[in-house]
Amino acid sequence: MNKGRKLLSMTGRFAFIVSLFFSVYVFAMFQGGKVSWTIFYMLTPFLLYSIILFVYPINTIKAERITRSHVVKSGGKLTVTVKLHRSFPFPLLYTVASEQWVDSELAANANNRTKHIFIFGFKKEVEWSYEIERMPRGEHIVEGIEIEVTDFFGWIQKRGFIDLKDTILVFPNTTPMHYAPINAQYDRGSLASPFSLIKDTTMATGVRDYQAGDRVTWIHWKSFARTQNLMTKEFEDRQSEDLIIMLDNRESETFEEQVELTASIVEEASGTQSNIAFVSAGAETSVFPFINSADQLHDVFVHLAKVRPIPAEDVNPLESFTFTAVAGSVVLVTGSPDWPFVQSVMGFVKNRKSVICFVVVNKTVPVSERLQEQIRYAESKGITIHVLGKMQFSDAFKEVANL
């Protein structure tokens, strides 16, 4: 419908220009005189330009977009350069080119510099750059470039769209923190400890006297050849831990801070010897069961860049999701530790005392009475709760390590 209206409008404008041209010509022919022909000769270049512009193929203009990086940190700056080039140098006058971002707020962050007004003239190539300040976390899509050209008096206005789709990922910020394995206490002693000591046989740290039970492959044969005494290589002990990091995707006033804390924990924990999994509880529960490589860590960050808060009633119940309970720990990051949701997390572990709940709050405002009641009730059920503000993220595990 809109295309039909635009076509009728363009056709009407063209008909007006042609009729105006012949009217002025007929007026000069019948009226005669210097004034009449002067008017005709003065209007002729403008009218002819408008007629030629009407048939000018604007879709022959090509575009190229250059971005310094397709991955930006939240709050960072994105620099974009756009180049327009064409093969036929028809003198285009007033030209407006604008980037079409799906999120219209980005244009405001760029101080409306996503739109560029210039005179193309006879040039074959034009370029301009703009910067978008304070890029918000998320997946941002630019569909293409809309071009509008007009004649001297605005009689003919032509619009064209250059399909140049691009996607910019804005990752959440991370806070450096000292991650310490969570030594959860169990009701029945330490036999059910979530930790297991394993030998890193790729790196020998020294040698010692041979003891019964040592593997033959651990014998340091060079020492035996030199001293005729059996010596065994000593290896570095590593601690491994089963750890599930879970993000609560329900709507919250501190949702962006929750995503930032989750990203920080995942990044720090992935550098340890922990067996890490990541769970995103939302309308569809997303699970990343292994984070053992840079590519797997990148996949998690891509999810954290795209994730959006959803209403509480749209969250898929965790009870319906199958996940083998681990003899380890769950770190839950939430803004509302209400018991029905926290209770659904219990299916991921063998003991509720191994659930650590980080409640992210805004420290500039008092904690609501409702949130205080939720925290007290969860603690009465044996859940460890830590209330954190954004400035406390770096020290999040200091108290947890002493549990």
Side-chain angles (χ1 to χ4, degrees):
M1 189 67 178
N2 290 333
K3 289 184 178 180
R5 289 180 179 178
K6 289 180 180 179
L7 181 61
L8 288 175
S9 177
M10 283 290 295
T11 305
R13 288 170 179 268
F14 180 72
F16 166 75
I17 292 172
V18 174
S19 63
L20 180 61
F21 180 78
F22 281 104
S23 297
V24 174
Y25 176 73
V26 171
F27 175 75
M29 287 290 293
F30 285 93
Q31 181 70 22
K34 185 176 181 180
V35 175
S36 300
W37 283 107
T38 300
I39 294 174
F40 172 74
Y41 288 129
M42 288 181 61
L43 288 178
T44 295
F46 299 103
L47 295 174
L48 288 177
Y49 179 85
S50 299
I51 293 172
I52 297 173
L53 180 62
F54 178 79
V55 298
Y56 178 78
I58 195 173
N59 57 356
T60 59
I61 299 177
K62 306 298 180 183
E64 178 185 5
R65 183 186 302 108
I66 302 172
T67 57
R68 291 185 179 179
S69 175
H70 283 69
V71 176
V72 185
K73 285 284 190 177
S74 177
K77 180 172 64 176
L78 176 68
T79 302
V80 180
T81 299
V82 180
K83 294 182 178 181
L84 302 177
H85 47 86
R86 56 187 180 146
S87 55
F88 181 65
F90 177 75
L92 295 177
L93 295 176
Y94 310 115
T95 307
V96 179
S98 58
E99 290 265 63
Q100 299 299 303
W101 289 88
V102 174
D103 186 358
S104 59
E105 293 183 2
L106 293 180
N109 291 349
N111 296 322
N112 294 318
R113 291 190 63 190
T114 56
K115 178 182 290 186
H116 186 56
I117 303 175
F118 57 96
I119 296 178
F120 220 129
F122 287 95
K123 293 180 289 187
K124 288 188 176 181
E125 185 172 297
V126 172
E127 71 174 57
W128 87 95
S129 299
Y130 64 92
E131 295 179 346
I132 301 179
E133 303 284 350
R134 304 179 303 278
M135 286 290 290
R137 180 191 60 83
E139 182 183 36
H140 303 288
I141 299 173
V142 54
E143 297 286 357
I145 302 171
E146 186 178 72
I147 298 179
E148 179 182 350
V149 295
T150 184
D151 58 11
F152 290 93
F153 303 111
W155 291 335
I156 294 295
Q157 295 178 349
K158 296 197 70 174
R159 288 184 175 88
F161 183 77
I162 303 174
D163 188 8
L164 191 62
K165 193 170 184 178
D166 211 348
T167 301
I168 305 297
L169 275 180
V170 180
F171 285 172
N173 285 319
T174 56
T175 301
M177 59 173 59
H178 177 68
Y179 172 77
I182 302 170
N183 186 12
Q185 302 296 322
Y186 287 80
D187 293 334
R188 297 184 179 178
S190 60
L191 293 178
S193 171
F195 304 103
S196 60
L197 286 178
I198 58 178
K199 295 289 186 181
D200 184 358
T201 57
T202 62
M203 181 179 296
T205 59
V207 293
R208 58 173 173 78
D209 292 334
Y210 176 82
Q211 297 177 359
D214 288 344
R215 298 181 184 179
V216 175
T217 55
W218 292 357
I219 296 177
H220 194 262
W221 294 107
K222 290 183 179 179
S223 298
F224 175 74
R226 186 171 59 253
T227 63
Q228 299 302 310
N229 293 323
L230 286 177
M231 305 292 289
T232 301
K233 299 176 185 177
E234 280 192 320
F235 302 99
E236 182 180 0
D237 289 336
R238 296 189 302 171
Q239 253 188 352
S240 66
E241 176 191 19
D242 289 329
L243 178 66
I244 299 175
I245 303 170
M246 183 179 297
L247 173 63
D248 178 7
N249 290 333
R250 294 176 299 170
E251 290 179 336
S252 169
E253 294 180 357
T254 58
F255 183 76
E256 291 301 320
E257 287 78 8
Q258 291 168 221
V259 174
E260 181 176 327
L261 176 59
T262 303
S264 302
I265 296 174
V266 171
E267 184 176 62
E268 291 295 329
S270 63
T272 68
Q273 304 302 329
S274 302
N275 301 316
I276 302 173
F278 172 68
V279 178
S280 181
E284 294 182 1
T285 302
S286 301
V287 178
F288 300 81
F290 303 104
I291 309 177
N292 298 322
S293 66
D295 289 339
Q296 292 167 341
L297 181 62
H298 177 75
D299 292 340
V300 173
F301 269 76
V302 169
H303 175 82
L304 290 174
K306 297 179 180 181
V307 69
R308 285 287 178 265
I310 60 173
E313 57 271 15
D314 294 340
V315 174
N316 184 38
L318 292 175
E319 292 87 345
S320 63
F321 180 74
T322 303
F323 196 94
T324 304
V326 298
S329 306
V330 169
V331 172
L332 172 63
V333 180
T334 182
S336 178
D338 58 287
W339 180 244
F341 181 81
V342 176
Q343 189 177 30
S344 66
V345 181
M346 299 305 176
F348 290 82
V349 291
K350 296 181 179 180
N351 190 292
R352 67 177 53 185
K353 288 187 177 181
S354 60
V355 177
I356 307 297
C357 182
F358 287 130
V359 180
V360 182
V361 299
N362 184 354
K363 287 291 188 177
T364 60
V365 297
V367 179
S368 66
E369 183 62 31
R370 179 172 175 271
L371 180 57
Q372 293 180 19
E373 291 179 0
Q374 292 176 345
I375 293 173
R376 285 194 294 266
Y377 189 80
E379 289 178 332
S380 69
K381 295 294 184 178
I383 305 299
T384 302
I385 303 287
H386 289 283
V387 180
L388 299 174
K390 186 173 182 179
M391 300 301 295
Q392 298 172 301
F393 286 176
S394 59
D395 299 328
F397 285 92
K398 280 190 175 181
E399 294 184 13
V400 175
N402 298 322
L403 293 176

